Each structure stands twice: as structure tokens, then as C-alpha cells.
Amino acid sequence: MNNLKERQRYVHPHGTSTKGKILMVASSPAVSSQTGWPIGFWAAELTHPMWVFEEAGYEIELVSTEGGKLEMDGYSNPTDASGYSTNDIISLGYLQKPEFNHLLEHTKKLTDVNHKDYVAIFLVGGQGPMYTFRGNAGLQQLFVSFYEAGKPAAAVCHSTTLLLEAKTSDGELLVKGKTWTGFANAEEDFADAAVGIKIQPYRIEEEARNITGTTFKVAAPFTSYAIQDGNLVTGQQQNSGAAAAELVVELLSK
């Protein structure tokens, strides 16, 4: 029996020119009308994909719904007193970099960019998108422009709320005929039970399953799960960002 196993993966040499720019979009700070909490983006859904993209040789530009300074959801901050994300050493590492913190302080508004300048788009989740991505015509138009140009168009966790409404130029829902994922009902149940209140104003899985002509799938709660269907890539929740990013890199490598 041969027990030999080998594995090789490209890692971009430090200091060399990049393969192109990937546009990452995060929610600007908001306040939840459901809980009254300040909300924003989830750290791991930015940092884990960013690490995958940078290792593969891509440069990141981060924009937001309103521009300006971003705030991460408290529980996603590895230095938060709650300890919820203490083990997120990738986010902890990025927070030590002055360049990363500068990135969070100074974002362009998403309407100030052109898809032609980037090779892919990646939507960052968190609680903020449930308010700032839903019904956002500018973001829908930007995301669809990548998709219709044949570029990887990715969304994870609550950022997949955009796909409940985003339509292509022919007026059809982008997810028509597609298989995709997003934050699951079982995960919402867990979060609600943990804090003792209903956190979200609506649930992505519930609304997605009411859409005809599309297939919404979820895996076991909080496992890493991502789906690529054509050039649409989706990830289930905060533990799925790296997997979704890897699918984007695979598409870009073809």
C-alpha cells in the first residue's frame, strides 16, 4: 500500500506585481432596527478571503455602501471582551497591520468604482448588509455588472441578501436557475437563542425558499460551505469566506 501523498499550491512571491485587483464590498456602520445595536461587517468574512486572495497574488480594494470609516461587528473582533472570536488569528494578524487599519478608516463609496478595473467582486457579510445591502440598487447594479461580464461574483453569509432581489439586464433574478447558499435558519435559531431575542428583521433562507426557479442549499450549521454555479459564488456564513474565496481564485485561474 502506497502511503505517499504530495500537495502543491501556488503562493505568490512577496513584492512581485499582482495578478489584478479584487473588489471587496462591506457594509458601512448602521443600527439594527430589530435590536438597537450598532452593526457593521463581520471581520472573518473580510480577512479570511483577503488572505486567500493575497496568497494567490491579487490586490484588494475595499469599498463600502456609504464610504468612509468601517466598523466590524463587536463579536467578530478577536480582541472583543466577549471572547467570541478569540481564535480568529487571521483577523488578529490583520489588525496588527497599519495598512489594514488604514483600509478600514478610508473606504470609497461603492458607486465610485467601475467593474472594468477589477477581476472579481466579493461581498462581505455581517449584520449590516441586512439593512444596507437589501434594496441597494447601486450595489445590485455593480454586482450584476461583474456577473454579466463573466467575472467571478461572490457573496457570503448575510451579504447574500442582495441575491434575493438582484436582477440581470433582462429583468430576471440573477439566481434564477442557480444553486446558491447563505445564512441558514438553523444558524439564525442559534444566534437568537444565544442572546435571547430575535436578531434579524427577516431570514435569508426563508425568503430564498419562496423564490421559484432557484435552488437554495445549506450544510450543517457553521461548517465551511461554499457553492460555485457558473461565475456566481456563495458562502453560507462566517466560516465559509475562505472556501468561497478559493472558488473565486479557481475561476480566475481558468
Side-chain angles (χ1 to χ4, degrees), residues 129-131 134 161 164 188 198 200-204 207:
M130 295 292 277
Y131 295 90
R134 188 77 187 264
T161 187
L164 297 172
E188 297 286 16
K198 181 183 177 186
Q200 301 300 349
Y202 58 93
R203 291 185 168 192
I204 291 170
E207 299 215 4

Side-chain angles (χ1 to χ4, degrees), residues 21 23 61-68 107-115 117-118 138-139 142:
K21 288 202 293 186
L23 184 67
E61 182 162 346
L62 178 64
V63 299
S64 60
T65 46
E66 296 298 329
T107 64
K108 289 182 184 177
K109 189 173 181 178
L110 63 89
T111 50
D112 293 335
V113 298
N114 188 317
H115 79 86
D117 297 331
Y118 309 92
L139 181 54
L142 180 65

Side-chain angles (χ1 to χ4, degrees), residues 43-163:
E45 295 171 37
L46 172 63
T47 60
H48 291 218
M50 183 179 287
W51 182 78
V52 171
F53 292 145
E54 290 180 337
E55 286 278 282
Y58 295 94
E59 182 183 350
I60 303 302
E61 182 162 346
L62 178 64
V63 299
S64 60
T65 46
E66 296 298 329
K69 183 179 180 179
L70 300 186
E71 294 287 347
M72 65 184 72
D73 284 341
Y75 282 112
S76 76
N77 188 332
T79 65
D80 187 72
S82 67
Y84 187 84
S85 296
T86 298
N87 293 331
D88 183 5
I89 59 172
I90 292 178
S91 294
L92 186 62
Y94 271 104
L95 285 169
Q96 311 311 306
K97 297 181 64 177
E99 311 96 295
F100 178 75
N101 288 289
H102 183 269
L103 204 66
L104 300 185
E105 292 275 346
H106 307 280
T107 64
K108 289 182 184 177
K109 189 173 181 178
L110 63 89
T111 50
D112 293 335
V113 298
N114 188 317
H115 79 86
K116 293 180 182 178
D117 297 331
Y118 309 92
V119 297
I121 188 171
F122 192 101
L123 305 187
V124 178
Q127 293 188 62
M130 295 292 277
Y131 295 90
T132 63
F133 285 14
R134 188 77 187 264
N136 190 322
L139 181 54
Q140 291 175 19
Q141 183 178 15
L142 180 65
F143 192 84
V144 170
S145 70
F146 277 83
Y147 177 79
E148 293 191 327
K151 298 177 180 180
V156 295
C157 195
H158 287 105
S159 78
T160 58
T161 187
L162 187 87
L163 298 174

